[in-house]
Amino acid sequence: MKYVKIARQASKPQINLNEFIRAYRSVHQLVAMKARNEKEDALFQQDLKRSAELLDHIHAFVDPKINQMLNFSFQYYLTKQEEALEGDQQAARIVRDLKPLYHKELLSLSFSN
C-alpha cells in the first residue's frame, strides 16, 4: 500500500451556452427539412452529437432561455411522436432523427410513470 493513487474528483466541464444554443437550434432546423443533402446531413449529425454531449452537462434551470428552449423542444418531439403513431412519415423521420437527443429524457419519463 505504499504507492496508492487517490483518484481526483473530475472537475465539471465548462459549458459554452451559446455553442449549445447554436447546435441545438441547428439540429431542429435541419431535422425539419424534408430532404437534406450530404453536407447538411453531415452538419446535422455533427450538431446532434455535440448538442447531446452538452445536454448531459446542462441543467434546465441554469438559464431561463435554456429552460424555455428545452421545454419547447421536448414538447415538439412528443407532438411529432404522436403524429408518427398516426402514420405521418415525415413525423416518423423526425422522431427517428431526434431520438438520440431525447433518449435519456424518455427513459426518465417512463421510470417516473
Side-chain angles (χ1 to χ4, degrees):
M1 294 292 226
K2 192 174 182 182
Y3 296 102
V4 175
K5 287 187 177 180
I6 299 174
R8 295 182 185 180
Q9 289 184 344
S11 62
K12 292 184 179 182
Q14 295 287 38
I15 304 297
N16 183 350
L17 291 179
N18 290 329
E19 177 189 2
F20 171 72
I21 290 170
R22 187 210 55 78
Y24 203 71
R25 284 184 178 162
S26 172
V27 165
H28 283 80
Q29 289 170 352
L30 290 169
V31 81
M33 297 173 76
K34 291 192 180 203
R36 294 187 298 258
N37 61 28
E38 291 179 14
K39 183 179 176 185
E40 292 167 339
D41 196 45
L43 180 63
F44 170 74
Q45 293 299 328
Q46 175 188 352
D47 286 343
L48 179 66
K49 181 181 177 188
R50 186 64 184 148
S51 58
E53 289 171 355
L54 292 174
L55 192 58
D56 288 341
H57 303 289
I58 290 178
H59 302 289
F61 298 106
V62 169
D63 184 357
K65 186 177 180 182
I66 298 288
N67 188 31
Q68 182 181 15
M69 186 174 65
L70 292 175
N71 286 337
F72 174 76
S73 179
F74 195 61
Q75 289 294 330
Y76 173 78
Y77 178 76
L78 293 177
T79 302
K80 290 299 178 185
Q81 193 173 31
E82 289 175 7
E83 291 175 8
L85 291 174
E86 293 172 357
D88 186 356
Q89 295 299 317
Q90 176 72 12
R93 187 182 63 82
I94 290 172
V95 168
R96 184 187 70 240
D97 287 347
L98 286 179
K99 191 172 184 176
L101 198 58
Y102 296 112
H103 186 70
K104 289 182 182 179
E105 286 82 357
L106 293 173
L107 287 177
S108 66
L109 277 178
S110 66
F111 286 126
S112 67
N113 290 335

